[in-house]
Amino acid sequence: MRITIQGARVIDPASQFDEITDLHIDAGQISALGQAPEGFVAAQTIDARGLIACPGLVDLNVSLREPGFGRKGSIASETRAAAVGGVTSLCCPPNSRPVLDTPAVAELVLDRSERAAQTRVFPIGALTKGLDGEHLSELVALRDAGCVAFTQGLAPMKSNRILRRALEYAAGFDLPVIFTPLDPSLAEGGVAHEGPTAARLGLVGIPESAETVALARDLLLIEQTGVRAHFSGLSSARAVDMLADAQARGLPVTADVAMYQLLLCDEDLDGYSSLLHVMPPLRSSADRRALRQAVQAGVIQAIASHHQPHESEAKRVPFAASAPGISSVEILLPLALTMVADGLLELPALLARLTSGPASLFGLPAGQITEGASADITLFNPAVTSEIGQHWLSKGANCPFIGQSAPGAVTHTLCQGRLVYQA
């Protein structure tokens, strides 16, 4: 279908384009900005005056829960929620059941996501079989099946020797590896950031060193093997300093942060709400400030939802017994816009951390508004305030932001030229 988007403020962070103009879409691609091509007749026209058009959001961490965890979510439900939030491309981690460690599972995920036809899905493969930390997955076969990177997530490796061999193998084929640095022995039994708040509430703490010790090991092995590395969900100020130092030394390392880590801290745990139980944990207000500064400076190149939907029973228990994770993909943009409202980031810089920044980390064909690019476009109204949760679509309602107000509202989402959401 040929579509014209009229009169939007078009912001493309990748090219630093920022103008009020028209967009013309044909055969799933952006055919022109400004004047329509000769002979172009739109079958649909979207009046976007007063709206902002940006590349469709690229979310690097969205748990789809399928296959294996249908009570928590499905590819259909979670990609639909993503589309409502303006996300047109997402990466799903391998923590399904069975684990995403074979081409067959990768193909199943891709087939069902294509059938759902809401967003583009880029699977992340398991670094080891069954995430057992011992036997290397068939990484090249997984790459050929569509996996864009590989990870252990929070599952530990059996030994540093095995991890080194895995990184050497990945480096040999230029395969990106994603790290979530958390030393299992230092974090064992913990549910909150080790500090005054956890002590006052009687919660077992996870020290900052659980992240930084693992990060130090990872950086040393990255330097030795030359693997292309990405750190997912950093949570502490010291980790940010270590990452910035590694980047200054020329190591090929990038990072993302969970959106909720930029808004919340351990002081918010006072009510023992299990909705705030996440892993790694919410850390101190000083850590939150450092994470925000790292996003501002570009040390952290991407903001992700780290969406983890759960059934209500998984959260309707005491804090320490609850399953960690927040359902948030459909509110990634409104939550992020609070950083603009608070003067922490200019709008184009924020959109870069949500679009071109994450897309560039794994070479995804997304995150740009240029002629010939896939027509993945998010339209939103920056002048309105929306109430979170009024029309909740994710299968998991485990979100501490439900009922709160946030700036901005997504009005249209186009994925590969198809209008997949209209408010």
Side-chain angles (χ1 to χ4, degrees):
M1 179 184 289
R2 288 181 169 179
I3 300 174
T4 291
I5 299 172
Q6 282 187 336
R9 177 187 171 188
V10 179
I11 301 178
D12 178 45
S15 63
Q16 299 185 340
F17 183 90
D18 187 350
E19 292 182 15
I20 295 176
T21 188
D22 297 343
L23 279 169
H24 306 283
I25 297 165
D26 188 7
Q29 295 184 324
I30 298 169
S31 60
L33 284 79
Q35 187 172 352
E38 187 175 349
F40 181 95
V41 178
Q44 181 178 1
T45 299
I46 298 173
D47 183 356
R49 288 172 295 181
L51 304 181
I52 290 173
C54 69
L57 273 55
V58 180
D59 195 334
L60 295 182
N61 198 312
V62 178
S63 292
L64 298 177
R65 300 307 195 193
E66 190 180 356
F69 297 98
R71 291 181 303 165
K72 298 178 184 293
S74 67
I75 290 171
S77 68
E78 304 316 299
T79 56
R80 176 60 177 161
V84 170
V87 174
T88 58
S89 297
L90 62 87
C91 295
C92 61
N95 54 352
S96 53
R97 189 170 59 203
V99 168
L100 206 164
D101 61 359
T102 65
V105 180
E107 289 161 7
L108 180 149
V109 170
L110 289 170
D111 179 64
R112 292 186 182 178
S113 64
E114 287 172 10
R115 231 180 297 160
Q118 297 296 317
T119 66
R120 292 201 281 174
V121 172
F122 299 93
I124 295 170
L127 190 61
T128 59
K129 293 180 180 179
L131 296 173
D132 66 4
E134 187 171 5
H135 304 97
L136 197 62
S137 299
E138 297 176 10
L139 303 186
V140 173
L142 283 166
R143 178 201 64 188
D144 294 344
C147 291
V148 296
F150 301 89
T151 189
Q152 277 293 105
L154 290 171
M157 297 294 283
K158 292 292 185 183
S159 72
N160 290 335
R161 181 179 61 83
I162 295 172
L163 175 58
R164 179 190 168 191
R165 297 305 182 207
L167 299 185
E168 287 173 339
Y169 185 85
F173 291 93
D174 194 30
L175 305 175
V177 174
I178 301 172
F179 298 82
T180 303
L182 195 70
D183 184 279
S185 60
L186 289 170
E188 187 175 4
V191 293
H193 172 60
E194 185 178 272
T197 299
R200 186 177 70 253
L201 297 177
L203 297 173
V204 179
I206 299 175
E208 170 201 88
S209 58
E211 180 166 272
T212 54
V213 166
L215 179 61
R217 176 205 63 181
D218 296 340
L219 288 171
L220 288 169
L221 291 175
I222 291 163
E223 186 170 16
Q224 185 173 57
T225 62
V227 72
R228 194 149 48 99
H230 177 77
F231 289 98
S232 177
L234 291 186
S235 67
S236 68
R238 179 63 180 140
V240 166
D241 289 341
M242 293 168 67
L243 176 70
D245 177 69
Q247 291 173 343
R249 290 188 288 112
L251 284 189
V253 291
T254 57
D256 70 65
V257 64
M259 184 67 242
Y260 54 75
Q261 292 279 11
L262 299 174
L263 302 178
L264 303 168
C265 68
D266 64 341
E267 296 168 16
D268 295 302
L269 301 182
D270 272 345
Y272 290 99
S273 172
S274 62
L275 296 177
L276 298 173
H277 181 194
V278 293
M279 196 62 62
L282 299 175
R283 298 206 180 268
S284 70
S285 58
D287 290 309
R288 178 180 60 186
R289 183 165 57 252
L291 292 172
R292 290 174 171 179
Q293 290 169 350
V295 170
Q296 290 170 327
V299 172
I300 292 176
Q301 298 88 349
I303 300 172
S305 69
H306 286 252
H307 173 73
Q308 295 185 53
H310 287 294
E311 72 279 18
S312 59
E313 292 78 12
K315 288 291 189 178
R316 202 179 295 147
V317 291
F319 187 95
S322 64
I326 288 175
S327 176
S328 57
V329 68
E330 62 196 282
I331 54 171
L332 176 59
L333 182 59
L335 291 182
L337 288 172
T338 62
M339 298 187 69
V340 175
D342 293 341
L344 298 170
L345 277 175
E346 295 294 326
L347 181 58
L350 173 71
L351 293 177
R353 305 295 185 268
L354 295 169
T355 59
S356 57
S360 68
L361 301 184
F362 301 145
L364 305 182
Q368 296 186 52
I369 294 181
T370 55
E371 290 184 16
S374 177
D376 299 340
I377 299 168
T378 296
L379 289 169
F380 66 94
N381 188 341
V384 301
T385 299
S386 55
E387 182 181 328
I388 293 173
Q390 277 189 315
H391 307 287
W392 197 256
L393 290 181
S394 169
K395 210 166 182 181
N398 51 300
C399 179
F401 301 103
I402 288 178
Q404 298 182 18
S405 295
V410 175
T411 61
H412 304 75
T413 304
L414 292 92
C415 183
Q416 296 178 298
R418 291 176 291 103
L419 187 60
V420 294
Y421 170 69
Q422 181 173 348

PDB file of all heavy atoms in Angstrom, residues 59-94:
ATOM      1  N   ASP A  59      14.218  -2.381  20.269  1.00  0.00           N
ATOM      2  CA  ASP A  59      14.352  -2.817  21.661  1.00  0.00           C
ATOM      3  C   ASP A  59      15.223  -4.073  21.699  1.00  0.00           C
ATOM      4  O   ASP A  59      14.869  -5.102  21.131  1.00  0.00           O
ATOM      5  CB  ASP A  59      12.966  -3.109  22.248  1.00  0.00           C
ATOM      6  CG  ASP A  59      12.968  -3.220  23.759  1.00  0.00           C
ATOM      7  OD1 ASP A  59      14.023  -3.567  24.334  1.00  0.00           O
ATOM      8  OD2 ASP A  59      11.913  -2.977  24.377  1.00  0.00           O
ATOM      9  N   LEU A  60      16.342  -3.985  22.403  1.00  0.00           N
ATOM     10  CA  LEU A  60      17.320  -5.072  22.392  1.00  0.00           C
ATOM     11  C   LEU A  60      17.017  -6.197  23.367  1.00  0.00           C
ATOM     12  O   LEU A  60      17.744  -7.196  23.379  1.00  0.00           O
ATOM     13  CB  LEU A  60      18.723  -4.521  22.697  1.00  0.00           C
ATOM     14  CG  LEU A  60      19.307  -3.553  21.664  1.00  0.00           C
ATOM     15  CD1 LEU A  60      20.711  -3.137  22.077  1.00  0.00           C
ATOM     16  CD2 LEU A  60      19.320  -4.178  20.270  1.00  0.00           C
ATOM     17  N   ASN A  61      15.973  -6.070  24.185  1.00  0.00           N
ATOM     18  CA  ASN A  61      15.728  -7.131  25.165  1.00  0.00           C
ATOM     19  C   ASN A  61      14.239  -7.238  25.485  1.00  0.00           C
ATOM     20  O   ASN A  61      13.729  -6.531  26.356  1.00  0.00           O
ATOM     21  CB  ASN A  61      16.523  -6.868  26.443  1.00  0.00           C
ATOM     22  CG  ASN A  61      16.656  -8.115  27.303  1.00  0.00           C
ATOM     23  OD1 ASN A  61      15.686  -8.804  27.560  1.00  0.00           O
ATOM     24  ND2 ASN A  61      17.865  -8.394  27.766  1.00  0.00           N
ATOM     25  N   VAL A  62      13.562  -8.120  24.779  1.00  0.00           N
ATOM     26  CA  VAL A  62      12.131  -8.363  24.981  1.00  0.00           C
ATOM     27  C   VAL A  62      11.897  -9.858  25.102  1.00  0.00           C
ATOM     28  O   VAL A  62      12.047 -10.599  24.124  1.00  0.00           O
ATOM     29  CB  VAL A  62      11.281  -7.791  23.824  1.00  0.00           C
ATOM     30  CG1 VAL A  62       9.800  -8.102  24.035  1.00  0.00           C
ATOM     31  CG2 VAL A  62      11.495  -6.291  23.684  1.00  0.00           C
ATOM     32  N   SER A  63      11.555 -10.327  26.280  1.00  0.00           N
ATOM     33  CA  SER A  63      11.243 -11.749  26.466  1.00  0.00           C
ATOM     34  C   SER A  63       9.846 -12.018  25.914  1.00  0.00           C
ATOM     35  O   SER A  63       8.861 -11.456  26.407  1.00  0.00           O
ATOM     36  CB  SER A  63      11.304 -12.123  27.950  1.00  0.00           C
ATOM     37  OG  SER A  63      12.634 -12.063  28.422  1.00  0.00           O
ATOM     38  N   LEU A  64       9.775 -12.879  24.902  1.00  0.00           N
ATOM     39  CA  LEU A  64       8.494 -13.197  24.270  1.00  0.00           C
ATOM     40  C   LEU A  64       7.792 -14.377  24.937  1.00  0.00           C
ATOM     41  O   LEU A  64       6.617 -14.631  24.684  1.00  0.00           O
ATOM     42  CB  LEU A  64       8.706 -13.484  22.784  1.00  0.00           C
ATOM     43  CG  LEU A  64       9.270 -12.312  21.965  1.00  0.00           C
ATOM     44  CD1 LEU A  64       9.515 -12.744  20.519  1.00  0.00           C
ATOM     45  CD2 LEU A  64       8.341 -11.111  22.022  1.00  0.00           C
ATOM     46  N   ARG A  65       8.540 -15.143  25.769  1.00  0.00           N
ATOM     47  CA  ARG A  65       8.009 -16.249  26.578  1.00  0.00           C
ATOM     48  C   ARG A  65       7.555 -17.456  25.772  1.00  0.00           C
ATOM     49  O   ARG A  65       7.088 -18.434  26.348  1.00  0.00           O
ATOM     50  CB  ARG A  65       6.845 -15.774  27.456  1.00  0.00           C
ATOM     51  CG  ARG A  65       7.189 -14.670  28.432  1.00  0.00           C
ATOM     52  CD  ARG A  65       8.378 -15.019  29.292  1.00  0.00           C
ATOM     53  NE  ARG A  65       8.505 -14.140  30.454  1.00  0.00           N
ATOM     54  CZ  ARG A  65       9.569 -14.067  31.216  1.00  0.00           C
ATOM     55  NH1 ARG A  65      10.631 -14.811  30.931  1.00  0.00           N
ATOM     56  NH2 ARG A  65       9.604 -13.274  32.266  1.00  0.00           N
ATOM     57  N   GLU A  66       7.709 -17.395  24.468  1.00  0.00           N
ATOM     58  CA  GLU A  66       7.324 -18.525  23.637  1.00  0.00           C
ATOM     59  C   GLU A  66       8.537 -18.989  22.838  1.00  0.00           C
ATOM     60  O   GLU A  66       9.273 -18.133  22.313  1.00  0.00           O
ATOM     61  CB  GLU A  66       6.202 -18.111  22.682  1.00  0.00           C
ATOM     62  CG  GLU A  66       5.563 -19.262  21.942  1.00  0.00           C
ATOM     63  CD  GLU A  66       4.451 -18.817  20.988  1.00  0.00           C
ATOM     64  OE1 GLU A  66       4.119 -17.625  20.960  1.00  0.00           O
ATOM     65  OE2 GLU A  66       3.938 -19.683  20.267  1.00  0.00           O
ATOM     66  N   PRO A  67       8.782 -20.300  22.805  1.00  0.00           N
ATOM     67  CA  PRO A  67       7.941 -21.390  23.313  1.00  0.00           C
ATOM     68  C   PRO A  67       8.166 -21.670  24.791  1.00  0.00           C
ATOM     69  O   PRO A  67       9.180 -21.302  25.356  1.00  0.00           O
ATOM     70  CB  PRO A  67       8.434 -22.588  22.482  1.00  0.00           C
ATOM     71  CG  PRO A  67       9.875 -22.266  22.206  1.00  0.00           C
ATOM     72  CD  PRO A  67       9.933 -20.783  22.023  1.00  0.00           C
ATOM     73  N   GLY A  68       7.161 -22.293  25.404  1.00  0.00           N
ATOM     74  CA  GLY A  68       7.334 -22.893  26.718  1.00  0.00           C
ATOM     75  C   GLY A  68       6.712 -22.211  27.902  1.00  0.00           C
ATOM     76  O   GLY A  68       6.484 -22.841  28.932  1.00  0.00           O
ATOM     77  N   PHE A  69       6.418 -20.895  27.797  1.00  0.00           N
ATOM     78  CA  PHE A  69       5.892 -20.191  28.967  1.00  0.00           C
ATOM     79  C   PHE A  69       4.624 -19.429  28.599  1.00  0.00           C
ATOM     80  O   PHE A  69       4.517 -18.214  28.775  1.00  0.00           O
ATOM     81  CB  PHE A  69       6.949 -19.236  29.538  1.00  0.00           C
ATOM     82  CG  PHE A  69       8.184 -19.936  30.041  1.00  0.00           C
ATOM     83  CD1 PHE A  69       9.317 -20.025  29.254  1.00  0.00           C
ATOM     84  CD2 PHE A  69       8.196 -20.526  31.298  1.00  0.00           C
ATOM     85  CE1 PHE A  69      10.462 -20.676  29.706  1.00  0.00           C
ATOM     86  CE2 PHE A  69       9.328 -21.183  31.767  1.00  0.00           C
ATOM     87  CZ  PHE A  69      10.461 -21.254  30.966  1.00  0.00           C
ATOM     88  N   GLY A  70       3.653 -20.157  28.075  1.00  0.00           N
ATOM     89  CA  GLY A  70       2.427 -19.553  27.581  1.00  0.00           C
ATOM     90  C   GLY A  70       1.629 -18.803  28.619  1.00  0.00           C
ATOM     91  O   GLY A  70       0.863 -17.897  28.291  1.00  0.00           O
ATOM     92  N   ARG A  71       1.787 -19.162  29.900  1.00  0.00           N
ATOM     93  CA  ARG A  71       1.064 -18.427  30.952  1.00  0.00           C
ATOM     94  C   ARG A  71       1.578 -16.998  31.097  1.00  0.00           C
ATOM     95  O   ARG A  71       0.856 -16.116  31.552  1.00  0.00           O
ATOM     96  CB  ARG A  71       1.205 -19.149  32.286  1.00  0.00           C
ATOM     97  CG  ARG A  71       0.478 -20.490  32.382  1.00  0.00           C
ATOM     98  CD  ARG A  71       0.668 -21.088  33.757  1.00  0.00           C
ATOM     99  NE  ARG A  71       2.093 -21.254  34.073  1.00  0.00           N
ATOM    100  CZ  ARG A  71       2.569 -21.481  35.290  1.00  0.00           C
ATOM    101  NH1 ARG A  71       1.733 -21.527  36.313  1.00  0.00           N
ATOM    102  NH2 ARG A  71       3.862 -21.642  35.482  1.00  0.00           N
ATOM    103  N   LYS A  72       2.832 -16.794  30.742  1.00  0.00           N
ATOM    104  CA  LYS A  72       3.451 -15.480  30.911  1.00  0.00           C
ATOM    105  C   LYS A  72       3.268 -14.592  29.686  1.00  0.00           C
ATOM    106  O   LYS A  72       3.170 -13.364  29.809  1.00  0.00           O
ATOM    107  CB  LYS A  72       4.947 -15.639  31.207  1.00  0.00           C
ATOM    108  CG  LYS A  72       5.253 -16.393  32.499  1.00  0.00           C
ATOM    109  CD  LYS A  72       6.754 -16.559  32.692  1.00  0.00           C
ATOM    110  CE  LYS A  72       7.086 -17.386  33.924  1.00  0.00           C
ATOM    111  NZ  LYS A  72       6.728 -16.718  35.183  1.00  0.00           N
ATOM    112  N   GLY A  73       3.258 -15.191  28.505  1.00  0.00           N
ATOM    113  CA  GLY A  73       3.146 -14.399  27.295  1.00  0.00           C
ATOM    114  C   GLY A  73       3.296 -15.271  26.069  1.00  0.00           C
ATOM    115  O   GLY A  73       3.608 -16.457  26.161  1.00  0.00           O
ATOM    116  N   SER A  74       3.085 -14.673  24.915  1.00  0.00           N
ATOM    117  CA  SER A  74       3.246 -15.380  23.644  1.00  0.00           C
ATOM    118  C   SER A  74       3.851 -14.420  22.630  1.00  0.00           C
ATOM    119  O   SER A  74       3.853 -13.200  22.833  1.00  0.00           O
ATOM    120  CB  SER A  74       1.904 -15.898  23.129  1.00  0.00           C
ATOM    121  OG  SER A  74       1.062 -14.805  22.778  1.00  0.00           O
ATOM    122  N   ILE A  75       4.341 -14.965  21.547  1.00  0.00           N
ATOM    123  CA  ILE A  75       4.885 -14.108  20.496  1.00  0.00           C
ATOM    124  C   ILE A  75       3.807 -13.165  19.984  1.00  0.00           C
ATOM    125  O   ILE A  75       4.062 -11.977  19.758  1.00  0.00           O
ATOM    126  CB  ILE A  75       5.477 -14.972  19.368  1.00  0.00           C
ATOM    127  CG1 ILE A  75       6.752 -15.676  19.877  1.00  0.00           C
ATOM    128  CG2 ILE A  75       5.777 -14.144  18.131  1.00  0.00           C
ATOM    129  CD1 ILE A  75       7.302 -16.723  18.938  1.00  0.00           C
ATOM    130  N   ALA A  76       2.597 -13.660  19.821  1.00  0.00           N
ATOM    131  CA  ALA A  76       1.505 -12.817  19.320  1.00  0.00           C
ATOM    132  C   ALA A  76       1.189 -11.693  20.295  1.00  0.00           C
ATOM    133  O   ALA A  76       1.072 -10.521  19.909  1.00  0.00           O
ATOM    134  CB  ALA A  76       0.269 -13.666  19.055  1.00  0.00           C
ATOM    135  N   SER A  77       1.032 -12.015  21.592  1.00  0.00           N
ATOM    136  CA  SER A  77       0.638 -10.993  22.564  1.00  0.00           C
ATOM    137  C   SER A  77       1.734  -9.966  22.798  1.00  0.00           C
ATOM    138  O   SER A  77       1.480  -8.757  22.878  1.00  0.00           O
ATOM    139  CB  SER A  77       0.247 -11.642  23.895  1.00  0.00           C
ATOM    140  OG  SER A  77       1.376 -12.227  24.541  1.00  0.00           O
ATOM    141  N   GLU A  78       2.986 -10.412  22.875  1.00  0.00           N
ATOM    142  CA  GLU A  78       4.058  -9.480  23.235  1.00  0.00           C
ATOM    143  C   GLU A  78       4.523  -8.644  22.051  1.00  0.00           C
ATOM    144  O   GLU A  78       4.918  -7.491  22.237  1.00  0.00           O
ATOM    145  CB  GLU A  78       5.220 -10.242  23.877  1.00  0.00           C
ATOM    146  CG  GLU A  78       4.815 -11.080  25.091  1.00  0.00           C
ATOM    147  CD  GLU A  78       3.871 -10.358  26.048  1.00  0.00           C
ATOM    148  OE1 GLU A  78       4.254  -9.310  26.608  1.00  0.00           O
ATOM    149  OE2 GLU A  78       2.733 -10.862  26.241  1.00  0.00           O
ATOM    150  N   THR A  79       4.457  -9.178  20.828  1.00  0.00           N
ATOM    151  CA  THR A  79       4.776  -8.326  19.687  1.00  0.00           C
ATOM    152  C   THR A  79       3.660  -7.317  19.442  1.00  0.00           C
ATOM    153  O   THR A  79       3.925  -6.202  18.992  1.00  0.00           O
ATOM    154  CB  THR A  79       5.033  -9.152  18.411  1.00  0.00           C
ATOM    155  OG1 THR A  79       3.901  -9.980  18.127  1.00  0.00           O
ATOM    156  CG2 THR A  79       6.279 -10.013  18.559  1.00  0.00           C
ATOM    157  N   ARG A  80       2.431  -7.703  19.762  1.00  0.00           N
ATOM    158  CA  ARG A  80       1.328  -6.737  19.657  1.00  0.00           C
ATOM    159  C   ARG A  80       1.527  -5.608  20.663  1.00  0.00           C
ATOM    160  O   ARG A  80       1.362  -4.425  20.332  1.00  0.00           O
ATOM    161  CB  ARG A  80      -0.008  -7.447  19.911  1.00  0.00           C
ATOM    162  CG  ARG A  80      -1.233  -6.539  19.928  1.00  0.00           C
ATOM    163  CD  ARG A  80      -1.428  -5.813  18.609  1.00  0.00           C
ATOM    164  NE  ARG A  80      -2.629  -4.994  18.604  1.00  0.00           N
ATOM    165  CZ  ARG A  80      -2.836  -4.010  17.739  1.00  0.00           C
ATOM    166  NH1 ARG A  80      -1.937  -3.729  16.825  1.00  0.00           N
ATOM    167  NH2 ARG A  80      -3.953  -3.312  17.781  1.00  0.00           N
ATOM    168  N   ALA A  81       1.910  -5.951  21.879  1.00  0.00           N
ATOM    169  CA  ALA A  81       2.182  -4.922  22.890  1.00  0.00           C
ATOM    170  C   ALA A  81       3.332  -4.033  22.441  1.00  0.00           C
ATOM    171  O   ALA A  81       3.299  -2.809  22.637  1.00  0.00           O
ATOM    172  CB  ALA A  81       2.510  -5.591  24.225  1.00  0.00           C
ATOM    173  N   ALA A  82       4.354  -4.634  21.825  1.00  0.00           N
ATOM    174  CA  ALA A  82       5.487  -3.850  21.347  1.00  0.00           C
ATOM    175  C   ALA A  82       5.051  -2.850  20.278  1.00  0.00           C
ATOM    176  O   ALA A  82       5.473  -1.683  20.293  1.00  0.00           O
ATOM    177  CB  ALA A  82       6.566  -4.780  20.795  1.00  0.00           C
ATOM    178  N   ALA A  83       4.206  -3.297  19.350  1.00  0.00           N
ATOM    179  CA  ALA A  83       3.744  -2.413  18.279  1.00  0.00           C
ATOM    180  C   ALA A  83       2.971  -1.232  18.838  1.00  0.00           C
ATOM    181  O   ALA A  83       3.111  -0.093  18.365  1.00  0.00           O
ATOM    182  CB  ALA A  83       2.881  -3.197  17.285  1.00  0.00           C
ATOM    183  N   VAL A  84       2.156  -1.478  19.857  1.00  0.00           N
ATOM    184  CA  VAL A  84       1.400  -0.392  20.495  1.00  0.00           C
ATOM    185  C   VAL A  84       2.353   0.620  21.126  1.00  0.00           C
ATOM    186  O   VAL A  84       2.069   1.821  21.194  1.00  0.00           O
ATOM    187  CB  VAL A  84       0.423  -0.965  21.551  1.00  0.00           C
ATOM    188  CG1 VAL A  84      -0.185   0.132  22.397  1.00  0.00           C
ATOM    189  CG2 VAL A  84      -0.675  -1.753  20.850  1.00  0.00           C
ATOM    190  N   GLY A  85       3.506   0.147  21.561  1.00  0.00           N
ATOM    191  CA  GLY A  85       4.502   1.034  22.151  1.00  0.00           C
ATOM    192  C   GLY A  85       5.423   1.684  21.144  1.00  0.00           C
ATOM    193  O   GLY A  85       6.364   2.385  21.532  1.00  0.00           O
ATOM    194  N   GLY A  86       5.200   1.444  19.854  1.00  0.00           N
ATOM    195  CA  GLY A  86       6.044   2.057  18.837  1.00  0.00           C
ATOM    196  C   GLY A  86       7.299   1.280  18.527  1.00  0.00           C
ATOM    197  O   GLY A  86       8.160   1.745  17.777  1.00  0.00           O
ATOM    198  N   VAL A  87       7.429   0.072  19.073  1.00  0.00           N
ATOM    199  CA  VAL A  87       8.591  -0.778  18.806  1.00  0.00           C
ATOM    200  C   VAL A  87       8.327  -1.575  17.531  1.00  0.00           C
ATOM    201  O   VAL A  87       7.336  -2.309  17.447  1.00  0.00           O
ATOM    202  CB  VAL A  87       8.868  -1.727  19.989  1.00  0.00           C
ATOM    203  CG1 VAL A  87       9.987  -2.710  19.648  1.00  0.00           C
ATOM    204  CG2 VAL A  87       9.212  -0.933  21.248  1.00  0.00           C
ATOM    205  N   THR A  88       9.210  -1.460  16.555  1.00  0.00           N
ATOM    206  CA  THR A  88       9.041  -2.188  15.296  1.00  0.00           C
ATOM    207  C   THR A  88      10.087  -3.276  15.102  1.00  0.00           C
ATOM    208  O   THR A  88       9.938  -4.120  14.222  1.00  0.00           O
ATOM    209  CB  THR A  88       9.083  -1.229  14.096  1.00  0.00           C
ATOM    210  OG1 THR A  88      10.332  -0.524  14.103  1.00  0.00           O
ATOM    211  CG2 THR A  88       7.935  -0.229  14.157  1.00  0.00           C
ATOM    212  N   SER A  89      11.155  -3.243  15.878  1.00  0.00           N
ATOM    213  CA  SER A  89      12.192  -4.278  15.826  1.00  0.00           C
ATOM    214  C   SER A  89      12.586  -4.636  17.246  1.00  0.00           C
ATOM    215  O   SER A  89      12.801  -3.737  18.076  1.00  0.00           O
ATOM    216  CB  SER A  89      13.436  -3.796  15.070  1.00  0.00           C
ATOM    217  OG  SER A  89      13.143  -3.516  13.723  1.00  0.00           O
ATOM    218  N   LEU A  90      12.678  -5.930  17.535  1.00  0.00           N
ATOM    219  CA  LEU A  90      13.057  -6.337  18.883  1.00  0.00           C
ATOM    220  C   LEU A  90      13.929  -7.580  18.840  1.00  0.00           C
ATOM    221  O   LEU A  90      13.842  -8.394  17.930  1.00  0.00           O
ATOM    222  CB  LEU A  90      11.816  -6.567  19.754  1.00  0.00           C
ATOM    223  CG  LEU A  90      10.822  -7.661  19.341  1.00  0.00           C
ATOM    224  CD1 LEU A  90      11.212  -9.020  19.906  1.00  0.00           C
ATOM    225  CD2 LEU A  90       9.414  -7.288  19.820  1.00  0.00           C
ATOM    226  N   CYS A  91      14.780  -7.687  19.844  1.00  0.00           N
ATOM    227  CA  CYS A  91      15.607  -8.879  20.040  1.00  0.00           C
ATOM    228  C   CYS A  91      15.044  -9.662  21.212  1.00  0.00           C
ATOM    229  O   CYS A  91      14.745  -9.084  22.264  1.00  0.00           O
ATOM    230  CB  CYS A  91      17.051  -8.492  20.324  1.00  0.00           C
ATOM    231  SG  CYS A  91      17.885  -7.657  18.968  1.00  0.00           S
ATOM    232  N   CYS A  92      14.893 -10.964  21.028  1.00  0.00           N
ATOM    233  CA  CYS A  92      14.367 -11.795  22.108  1.00  0.00           C
ATOM    234  C   CYS A  92      15.476 -12.697  22.637  1.00  0.00           C
ATOM    235  O   CYS A  92      16.196 -13.320  21.864  1.00  0.00           O
ATOM    236  CB  CYS A  92      13.165 -12.620  21.652  1.00  0.00           C
ATOM    237  SG  CYS A  92      13.499 -13.784  20.317  1.00  0.00           S
ATOM    238  N   PRO A  93      15.659 -12.745  23.967  1.00  0.00           N
ATOM    239  CA  PRO A  93      16.696 -13.588  24.559  1.00  0.00           C
ATOM    240  C   PRO A  93      16.337 -15.068  24.439  1.00  0.00           C
ATOM    241  O   PRO A  93      15.181 -15.420  24.170  1.00  0.00           O
ATOM    242  CB  PRO A  93      16.738 -13.127  26.013  1.00  0.00           C
ATOM    243  CG  PRO A  93      15.378 -12.557  26.272  1.00  0.00           C
ATOM    244  CD  PRO A  93      14.922 -11.978  24.974  1.00  0.00           C
ATOM    245  N   PRO A  94      17.303 -15.961  24.685  1.00  0.00           N
ATOM    246  CA  PRO A  94      17.083 -17.384  24.433  1.00  0.00           C
ATOM    247  C   PRO A  94      16.468 -18.155  25.585  1.00  0.00           C
ATOM    248  O   PRO A  94      16.414 -19.383  25.538  1.00  0.00           O
ATOM    249  CB  PRO A  94      18.507 -17.882  24.158  1.00  0.00           C
ATOM    250  CG  PRO A  94      19.375 -17.014  24.993  1.00  0.00           C
ATOM    251  CD  PRO A  94      18.710 -15.660  24.980  1.00  0.00           C
TER     252      PRO A  94
END
